[in-house]
Structure formats: structure tokens, C-alpha cells
Amino acid sequence: MDLFLYLIYFILFSVSLNEQSTPPKVFRTSLMGENMAVMCGASGNKFLFSNEDKLVTSWWPNLIKKILYFPSLLNDASTRDLTKPHRALLQFLKQYVEIMDLMAHKHIDMDWAPNKKVKVYLLSKKYTFALSCRLFLKIEDSEWVARISNDFDHIMAGFISLPIDIPGTTFNRAIKAKNILHKELIEIIKKRKKELTEKRDLAAQDLLSHMLLVPDENGKVLNEMEISTYILGVLLASHETTSTAITFVLKYLSEFPDVYDAVLKEQMEIAKSKGPEEFLNWNDIQNMKHSWNVARESMRLSPPGIGGFREALTDFTYEGFTVPKGWKTHWTVHSTHKNPEYFPDPEKFDPSRFEGEGPVPYTFVPFGGGPHMCHGKEYARLELLVFMYNVVSRFKLEKVVPNEKITYNPSPIPANGLPMRLQPHKM
Ligand code: HEM
């Protein structure tokens, strides 16, 4: 119920922002049964991001924790470690580019190229999930991936459900799905542990093997339940977000032919510099500057994540408003991304906003900021650019439903799944 209220608040807030150009700096509301101070604008974002672990700390709604955690971990203080970035997530990024390119290529060959029309949203979800399973768990079994992606859909639906745990409810299905997923993950962890003991594959580049082999900054290797929870968390954090980002960038590319042409030009220069069997590498990604500006402009207008929550560690005052200890706070992308003070003519799709110095600090925040900034930001950048390269270098895109409605869950979703006609380039 509270998340429904959140959705209503979120829609009203986005609408009111479109109508009034100066949002309040802070306002109080009640969300998910909590007193909540909503911080707005660049100064609100800066305040929260730079007072992490001084005035505020990370906070997740109970509903989300119940759907993610083992019951025994729910009230365990050590679960705070599970929101810290694991260095394994960042360590292998450079090597991941080649695997991402190989998998994107195979996916396009199998699911896109044989068709004249595709539903971009569904296929990008399929691709991004298969990629996460490969890179986090080293699993390539497509049947297993398809089976558990079904359970993920139940979990995602649970995040915006009434928290009533009786058979037949969305929340109940989410809890059941969580139990199934943890069971599967624990089995995988045990099996991988055994394999690693028998033959220590120290060069393993997947998140799971690395978490089992290498202690964290505190010299601690997480236990099986903690690893399972962390991996479930990153699988979920990367699932909807990256597929939404891919979907919307392809939507905008199909709507603005001049933007598409500029991206195609950049991508074809990279394609021409490579041999026929040569995959993309880290340097190629660094050369996709214009494409990244296009992706950023797409995330400004249609951000996959809406913001984040914090809890006040102590009483503090912001802009004359006292936030008592224990209150929750919320920052939201919508208070800056479409604010004409920071982004003139905010509804216009204009990637040149990101050229030169780019936006004012703390105004473009699709990944948040400060110590709790999204751990997967770089991973998402690589995934998006590699996928754009693979699509744009092969097809021109045309939307089948010109004015397709966008719904919000609260991430944006094209109501028809963004059906797109594919026109392969003449070679
Ligand atoms: C376009 C894709 C993505 C977007 C827009 C996005 C956005 C966000 C946002 C807004 C937050 C909340 C930050 C806060 O509370 O202040 C977040 C947190 C997080 N994201 Fe992402 N994310 C994306 C992809 C990913 C991927 C691919 C991963 C994993 C590989 C990931 C892992 C995480 C984790 C673990 C957190 C929790 C961070 C913490 O609390 O310390 N995300 N993300």
C-alpha cells in the first residue's frame, strides 16, 4: 500500500515539477509508514551525498528487505556490509567488455536479426539478465536463466505490492520466488566452493568465485547466506535498470534521425578500425564519447532509477527544517533532471548538454552520488555502449507504435514493450 502511495507521490511530484519551475528545497511527507523529508534540487542532493555516515546512512524500506534477505539476516547489523560495493564488481570491468560484445553479438544474431520486428523491452531484459548470470555467476545455461528470470519478475512485482503475505498475493509470490532463488544460489555457491577447493581457479573473473576466494577490505570472506543475498541484490539492481536504459536509448535513437546518424558515424569508425573477428575492447569504449552523451541524455529524460533513501543518524537542520533522528530522507532524480534552471528547455532531447563541462554538479544524478552511488555505474556504461554498438552498426530502427504510452513501475516502461521495425544496413 505504501509503495502505491509512493507511486502516486512520484507521479504528482514529476507532474508538479513540469508545471512549476522552482520546486521546494525540502518538504515533509509520509511514505511507507515513515516520516520522510524529501530533499530537492542540486543543494539537497549535495547535502545528502556529502553527509553520508555523518548525518545520514543508507536505508531500505522493510518491504524490500523482506523480499531480499534471509529472515535471519533481517535484523543483523552486519547486513550493512551487504550494501558496500564488492571490489570484484569493479576489478574485472576491462575484461568484461569482450564478453559483453560476444554475448550482445550472439543475442542479436539469434533474437533480432531473423526478425523484421522485435519488442525491444522484452529482448533487452533477456539480454541483460543473461549477461549478469554469465558475469556474476559464470552461468550460461539458457534454460536455467529463463527459469530463474521468471522468479525475478515475481520479486520485482513484489517491490510495488501490498505487503500481505497470504497465498495468492503478489507479495507472497515475491517471498516464494526469493526462497527459490536463495535455494538455487546456495546450491551454486556450495558447488563452486567445492570446485574451487579442488582446483583453485585464481584467475576466475566472475563475481561469485572472487567473493569466495578473496577476502574483503576487512579481511572477511562473506558466508553463504551473505553472498547469496549480495548476489541476489546485484542481480536485481542490474536487471530492470540496465534493460530500461537500453530500451529508452533505442527509443530516442529511433525518434531523432540526426542523433542516430551521429551515433552511427561514431560507431562505424570504431567498427572499421577492427578486424572481422575482433571484439570491442576498453579503448573502443573510451572512444564512444558521443554515444555516451546520447545515453546520458536518455537517462536524464527517462531515468531508470528514481532516487534513494537515507535514515537520519542524528537531529539536523536543513534549510530551516529540522529532521529528527530516525526520520527517513529521500533524494529524487526528478527534482533536477527536468528543472529548467539546470537543463534549459528540459523536455528537448539534446545530447550536447553533456559536452564540455557538462551539467552543473549534483544535477545529473541517474546513479546517485556520494559513498552510496550506484556500484554498477561503470558496468552499466559498458553494457549500454556495447549494446548500442551492436544494434546501431547493424540496423536502422523504426518505432511500430509512434506515440506509445509510457507506464511507470516506478521505472518507465513502454506500454507495448517498444515494438521496433528493423532495417538492416546494406553492406
Ligand atoms: C543504468 C543502470 C543503472 C542505474 C540507472 C542505477 C541507479 C542506481 C541508483 C539511483 C541507486 C541508488 C543510489 C542511492 O541510494 O543513493 C543505485 C544503487 C545501487 N546499484 Fe545501481 N543502477 C544501475 C545499474 C546497476 C548495476 C548494473 C548494478 C550491479 C552490477 C547496480 C548495483 C547497485 C547497487 C549494489 C546499489 C546499492 C548501492 C548502495 O546502497 O551503496 N546498479 N543504482
Side-chain angles (χ1 to χ4, degrees), residues 234-246:
V234 284
L235 282 171
L236 283 163
S238 62
H239 187 38
E240 287 267 334
T241 49
T242 48
S243 52
T244 302
I246 287 177

Side-chain angles (χ1 to χ4, degrees), residues 232-284:
L232 186 57
V234 284
L235 282 171
L236 283 163
S238 62
H239 187 38
E240 287 267 334
T241 49
T242 48
S243 52
T244 302
I246 287 177
T247 301
F248 278 84
V249 81
L250 297 186
K251 171 183 170 298
Y252 290 117
L253 285 175
S254 72
E255 288 169 356
F256 301 104
D258 51 331
V259 176
Y260 174 91
D261 288 343
V263 169
L264 177 66
K265 185 168 174 275
E266 181 176 82
Q267 299 292 4
M268 289 317 278
E269 272 163 25
I270 292 168
K272 276 184 212 142
S273 72
K274 311 205 71 72
E277 301 293 317
E278 202 184 334
F279 290 107
L280 289 174
N281 58 40
W282 181 253
N283 287 339
D284 298 323

